[in-house]
Amino acid sequence: MTSDLWWLTLAMGLWGLGYGLYGVLWPLYIEHLGGGAVVVGLISTMAGVATALAVFPGGWLSDRVDRRRLLLWGWVVAVPVPFCYALATRWQWLVPPVLLYFGSAFSTPALQAIIVSEAPAHGLSNAYNLVMGVFGAGMVVGPTAGGYLALHLGYRPVFYVSGCIYLASTLCLTPIRPHPSAPRTIPRAAWTPRQRPRLFQWMLFAGALGAVQGMAWPFVVPYLKTVGHLSVETIGLLGSAGVFCATVSGPVWARIGERASIPRALGYGLGLATAGWMALLWSPTSVGWVLLSGVLRGVGEGSRGLSGVAIGRTIRQDEAGTAYGLFNLATELAGALAPLPGGTLYAHWPGAPLVLTAFLTAVLAWWLVNGLPGRPTPIPPGQL
């Protein structure tokens, strides 16, 4: 962990805190402004499409310009967004700031490329999971604080505080030294599945997982409120517990991935996530069962960072930005399309997207433990 990585860790933690203030309550805010389940899915789709359209050109740029500058601009663009949310009086007013916020994801590949360039090869798992996972550490406090503020003061103060925290996070990036793009040591191979089979294999998996999770995640909070009849404050507390488990389990999954192979560790994590979805469906009115569900899904979610580590091991530093741009493009585009069918299913039966996600997550878990496509047998420990 270099000084630049520590500054990135602090910036990500603060940003997670700011986002966590309203992230869990976001579907309820959309409903507060007059939107229903289909609108929640529509806005989630818009967010995913905006991210998908931004990450690939951002990744291409990060291999050609100073990555620190690109990263800083991504943060700056998103700072005003919570203040725009606070001023909305109808759900339609949320669309422009949502597109602006998720369009700022053009800086994400630069962030991931900086981690790859700063961390030694033998410490990439720990460094990547720490910097990317600390976002969740900020979100541990965020949902509880956001739920309390929303209950006692309304939604607007939640967004005002979030915007101030975003500004503090942006200031933490200023001490980071410049990170010019790495020189090309050898000609780049073509970006095709035949030339880079492992990269595209992980992109296929990440896209499938993003679609599966995207069908249900936007509707968990509405499900707990309408079916579970839980209060906003309780939902915030339970959300904090789940995010806490995802955060603290990240470093553990990094070690498991080093010893048991990354695919197998991811498979174990998705198995726990499947159990969490089933616990939520079993008794949504019980705080105890919902807490157990959040813990299991949170611990399982902590393993997802390993797919980013796997990408970092398939490419060179001078092409890391483009590779992560493609990786994020696959993830976000698949996740962007998923909330629309999820919202349609939810409108007919609130438990439908959760049931489908639980089943498909179990299929992906089995797939990973028993071998990725093209590898019919389990991958030996220590290999991708």
Side-chain angles (χ1 to χ4, degrees):
M1 290 294 293
T2 63
S3 62
D4 283 358
L5 289 177
W6 282 118
W7 280 115
L8 284 176
T9 302
L10 180 57
M12 288 289 285
L14 285 173
W15 199 273
L17 174 60
Y19 183 79
L21 287 175
Y22 66 86
V24 173
L25 306 176
W26 180 246
L28 302 182
Y29 187 58
I30 295 175
E31 291 182 350
H32 173 73
L33 296 179
V38 175
V39 173
V40 172
L42 177 63
I43 290 181
S44 297
T45 296
M46 289 180 181
V49 170
T51 305
L53 293 176
V55 288
F56 180 67
W60 184 86
L61 277 174
S62 69
D63 285 341
R64 290 158 176 82
V65 302
D66 181 61
R67 289 166 176 170
R68 173 195 178 267
R69 185 180 303 172
L70 200 62
L71 184 65
L72 188 58
W73 274 112
W75 252 252
V76 169
V77 165
V79 168
V81 168
F83 300 102
C84 297
Y85 291 158
L87 298 176
T89 57
R90 295 183 299 171
W91 70 263
Q92 291 89 343
W93 289 30
L94 298 175
V95 174
V98 163
L99 295 177
L100 180 63
Y101 180 87
F102 289 95
S104 70
F106 66 81
S107 63
T108 301
L111 168 67
Q112 294 164 311
I114 289 175
I115 298 172
V116 171
S117 65
E118 285 285 297
H122 65 276
L124 179 59
S125 294
N126 290 327
Y128 188 93
N129 273 20
L130 178 61
V131 177
M132 301 300 290
V134 78
F135 180 90
M139 285 192 65
V140 171
V141 181
T144 302
Y148 179 85
L149 288 173
L151 184 65
H152 293 88
L153 300 176
Y155 285 105
R156 283 191 174 183
V158 175
F159 293 111
Y160 291 144
V161 174
S162 174
C164 294
I165 295 175
Y166 281 179
L167 179 59
S169 172
T170 304
L171 294 175
C172 290
L173 298 178
T174 54
I176 297 176
R177 63 182 176 83
H179 279 265
S181 56
R184 301 184 188 184
T185 53
I186 57 175
R188 292 186 175 112
W191 295 94
T192 62
R194 184 173 182 178
Q195 294 290 332
R196 303 169 187 266
R198 296 299 292 155
L199 172 63
F200 278 84
Q201 192 175 82
W202 279 107
M203 285 173 55
L204 173 66
F205 161 74
L209 183 58
V212 168
Q213 298 298 313
M215 280 191 296
W217 274 108
F219 308 104
V220 171
V221 172
Y223 183 79
L224 292 176
K225 189 171 183 291
T226 58
V227 179
H229 306 291
L230 300 180
S231 68
V232 173
E233 197 168 11
T234 301
I235 292 173
L237 284 168
L238 294 171
S240 294
V243 174
F244 173 79
C245 292
T247 303
V248 299
S249 65
V252 178
W253 285 116
R255 292 185 177 274
I256 295 175
E258 292 290 345
R259 296 185 179 185
S261 86
I262 288 178
R264 184 169 292 181
L266 270 167
Y268 295 154
L270 294 185
L272 291 176
T274 301
W277 289 115
M278 294 174 66
L280 180 59
L281 288 163
W282 179 257
S283 184
T285 58
S286 168
V287 174
W289 277 100
V290 175
L291 176 61
L292 176 62
S293 168
V295 169
L296 291 172
R297 286 184 291 115
V299 174
E301 184 71 13
S303 68
R304 288 186 64 177
L306 291 173
S307 58
V309 176
I311 293 295
R313 291 181 173 177
T314 65
I315 43 84
R316 305 191 312 271
Q317 289 187 19
D318 63 323
E319 58 186 17
T322 304
Y324 278 113
L326 283 169
F327 173 71
N328 292 326
L329 173 64
T331 304
E332 298 298 335
L333 194 57
L337 300 176
L340 283 179
T344 303
L345 291 171
Y346 184 90
H348 288 84
W349 176 41
L354 279 67
V355 170
L356 186 58
T357 292
F359 171 75
L360 294 177
T361 303
V363 171
L364 287 175
W366 178 89
W367 181 36
L368 285 165
V369 172
N370 289 278
L372 289 166
R375 288 177 178 249
T377 57
I379 301 170
Q383 296 184 17
L384 285 177

